[in-house]
């Protein structure tokens, strides 16, 4: 059986992640896990942060099981932090899967234009986002290094307080909404 691949789409909103994920889904016969589609289906116009984290975690669990069964998977969330990406790179390695990380970036003006167009043409697929939110998220975002993108850079150790990346993933992506603060 060929080695499965975990595709990670990395970037801020409206940078082209989901468009690319849909293409990868077809080209690589992969299971595409797009968090926003699930949040929209379950919560409509609301976008509760605690539920997002749980949905991401459940989708990651499904994705890791799918990799274990030998099928390619696409995690389409943005993965803004290096820790998120490192934890998923380690999970894939633990399962004998390859990782293909794709980074998407745009100038803020083009990002705003795309968001406005999406809001006008397909409001059921997104939420309103202010310029202040976009700026705040851009400041928080940790750009992947070239070595992270091509897989040549070793995976970081888990953050202090976590013995394993599995423990960190369970903390970052809690299993239930009631377990979140």
């Amino acid at each position: 059986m060929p080695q499965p691949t975990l595709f990670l789409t990395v970037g801020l909103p409206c940078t082209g992640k989901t468009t690319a994920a849909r293409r990868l889904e077809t080209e690589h016969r992969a299971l595409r896990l797009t968090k926003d589609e699930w949040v929209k289906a379950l919560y409509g116009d609301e976008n509760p942060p605690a539920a997002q984290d749980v949905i991401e975690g459940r989708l990651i669990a499904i994705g890791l099981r799918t990799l274990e069964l030998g099928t390619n998977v696409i995690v389409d969330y943005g993965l803004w932090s290096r820790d998120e990406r490192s934890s998923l790179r380690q999970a894939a390695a633990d399962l004998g899967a390859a990782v293909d990380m794709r980074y998407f970036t745009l100038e803020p003006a083009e990002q705003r234009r795309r968001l406005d167009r999406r809001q006008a043409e397909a409001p059921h697929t997104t939420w309103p986002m202010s310029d202040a939110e976009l700026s705040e998220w851009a400041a928080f975002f940790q750009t992947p290094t070239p070595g992270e993108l091509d897989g040549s850079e070793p995976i970081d150790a888990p953050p202090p307080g976590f013995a394993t990346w599995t423990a960190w993933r369970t903390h970052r992506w809690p299993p239930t909404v009631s377990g979140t603060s």
Side-chain angles (χ1 to χ4, degrees):
M1 177 171 10
Q3 179 186 40
T5 299
L6 176 61
F7 294 90
L8 303 175
T9 62
V10 178
L12 291 165
C14 296
T15 55
K17 296 180 308 295
T18 300
T19 299
R22 287 184 180 122
R23 187 176 58 256
L24 291 168
E25 175 183 32
T26 302
E27 291 171 357
H28 296 278
R29 299 179 45 100
L31 174 64
R32 179 176 54 86
L33 301 171
T34 301
K35 176 201 60 174
D36 288 352
E37 292 173 356
W38 285 83
V39 174
K40 273 293 190 181
L42 294 170
Y43 293 96
D45 289 338
E46 296 191 29
N47 193 6
Q52 282 190 44
D53 292 346
V54 172
I55 290 169
E56 286 182 12
R58 298 311 310 146
L59 292 176
I60 287 168
I62 291 166
L64 295 179
R65 178 64 179 136
T66 302
L67 283 174
E68 191 174 34
L69 295 171
T71 300
N72 298 326
V73 173
I74 305 158
V75 172
D76 178 30
Y77 301 173
L79 302 167
W80 296 355
S81 80
R82 183 178 173 100
D83 284 347
E84 290 172 331
R85 299 185 300 266
S86 293
S87 75
L88 294 177
R89 288 175 63 207
Q90 185 63 61
D94 291 346
L95 295 171
V99 174
D100 184 333
M101 191 181 305
R102 309 281 176 106
Y103 173 49
F104 301 85
T105 186
L106 283 177
E107 292 298 319
E110 177 62 15
Q111 181 187 23
R112 177 84 260 164
R113 189 188 69 70
R114 286 184 182 188
L115 177 59
D116 291 345
R117 185 178 70 218
R118 184 189 299 174
Q119 198 63 56
E121 295 174 2
H124 62 284
T125 67
T126 191
W127 296 269
M129 295 175 224
S130 69
D131 289 341
E133 286 173 314
L134 293 175
S135 292
E136 178 184 328
W137 298 334
F140 175 78
F141 184 83
Q142 296 173 325
T143 302
T145 65
E148 200 181 356
L149 289 169
D150 69 16
S152 64
E153 193 171 294
I155 299 169
D156 298 333
F162 296 95
T164 65
W165 277 116
T166 300
W168 184 89
R169 275 194 311 278
T170 302
H171 173 78
R172 167 60 185 90
W173 292 296
T176 64
V177 173
S178 62
T180 63
S181 49

